[in-house]
Amino acid sequence: MGKLMPNEFVESIHHIDPEELKKRKIRGVITDLDNTLVEWNRPDATPEVVEWFRRLRQAGIQVTVVSNNNRERVHRFCEPLEARFIWAARKPLGQAFMRAVRDMNVPIEETVVVGDQLFTDILGGNLLGFHTILVVPVAQTDGILTRFNRLLERIALYWMRRKGMISWTNKS
C-alpha cells in the first residue's frame, strides 16, 4: 500500500505554487491530463490552466503532460499550450515517466508527478522514486475505462484511512 501513498495531497493543480516548487529545486513537472488539468471530456485548457502553465514556465519549470489517452486528445489539448506530451503512456508502467525526464533533461529528484489517480499516476511515480502529488479529480464523472480504477481507489483510500496512513479526505 505504501507505493499508492502520494507525498502530497492538494485540492487542485491551482494549489501547487510554481514559486514554491522552484524553492524546493523542482525543475520539472509531469502531469496527467484528464481530470487532473481539466475534465476528461473538455477538449481545451481553461484560462486558469493556461495561466498555471505560464506561471510554471515563468518559474523556469518545464512541464510534460503524460496521458494514457489517445494522440488526438492529448495533442489537441497540448498544442495550444506549446506543452510537451506523451500519449498512450501505459501508466503506471515507467517508460513514459522516464521518457519525460529524459526529454526535459531533468533528474527524477528535481521532478514531481501530479495526477488524480492512485493506480496510474501516483503508483507509477512512486515506483520510480518521484515526488508525487495527488489532486482531487476535476470532474465527478470519468470515462468508462477509469470507472473501475476509481472503485479500487475508493477501497484503497478507505483502507489507508482506517490504518491511519492518511488524514485528508478525498472528495471524489
Side-chain angles (χ1 to χ4, degrees):
M1 276 296 181
K3 292 295 183 187
L4 293 175
M5 278 292 293
N7 298 107
E8 293 180 55
F9 173 77
V10 295
E11 289 291 318
S12 77
I13 61 160
H14 307 296
H15 290 89
I16 302 170
D17 181 7
E19 288 301 320
E20 286 300 314
L21 292 177
K22 185 177 179 178
K23 286 178 189 171
R24 292 171 31 200
K25 309 235 184 296
I26 298 299
R27 297 188 307 125
V29 171
I30 296 171
T31 182
D32 177 47
L33 169 54
D34 295 321
N35 274 351
T36 297
L37 298 175
V38 296
E39 298 87 349
W40 64 274
N41 57 355
R42 178 187 293 269
D44 302 311
T46 63
E48 295 83 9
V49 170
V50 172
E51 175 62 13
W52 188 66
F53 270 71
R54 186 194 67 73
R55 289 178 54 224
L56 284 165
R57 284 192 182 107
Q58 191 173 37
I61 298 171
Q62 298 180 69
V63 182
T64 301
V65 175
V66 175
S67 175
N68 284 345
N69 213 322
N70 63 59
R71 183 184 192 289
E72 180 183 338
R73 159 70 172 138
V74 183
H75 179 264
R76 176 182 171 148
F77 181 87
C78 291
E79 185 177 43
L81 295 170
E82 298 178 359
R84 281 188 188 97
F85 64 91
I86 299 170
W87 53 279
R90 299 178 59 211
K91 296 180 289 183
L93 300 178
Q95 296 94 327
F97 294 104
M98 295 309 295
R99 181 175 153 207
V101 291
R102 271 194 315 272
D103 290 351
M104 292 187 290
N105 195 29
V106 177
I108 289 172
E109 300 78 24
E110 296 176 9
T111 307
V112 297
V113 172
V114 179
D116 69 304
Q117 291 189 64
L118 291 178
F119 288 96
T120 56
D121 311 306
I122 302 307
L123 177 59
N126 284 344
L127 286 171
L128 294 169
F130 287 95
H131 184 90
T132 54
I133 304 174
L134 181 68
V135 299
V136 174
V138 174
Q140 297 302 309
T141 61
D142 285 301
I144 194 150
L145 298 176
T146 306
R147 290 181 194 154
F148 180 70
N149 275 356
R150 292 281 185 219
L151 173 63
L152 295 177
E153 190 172 87
R154 281 192 292 278
I155 293 166
L157 288 169
Y158 174 79
W159 187 87
M160 286 189 267
R161 228 176 258 112
R162 289 211 40 189
K163 294 290 184 185
M165 296 170 74
I166 59 174
S167 58
W168 41 264
T169 58
N170 185 353
K171 296 179 182 171
S172 64

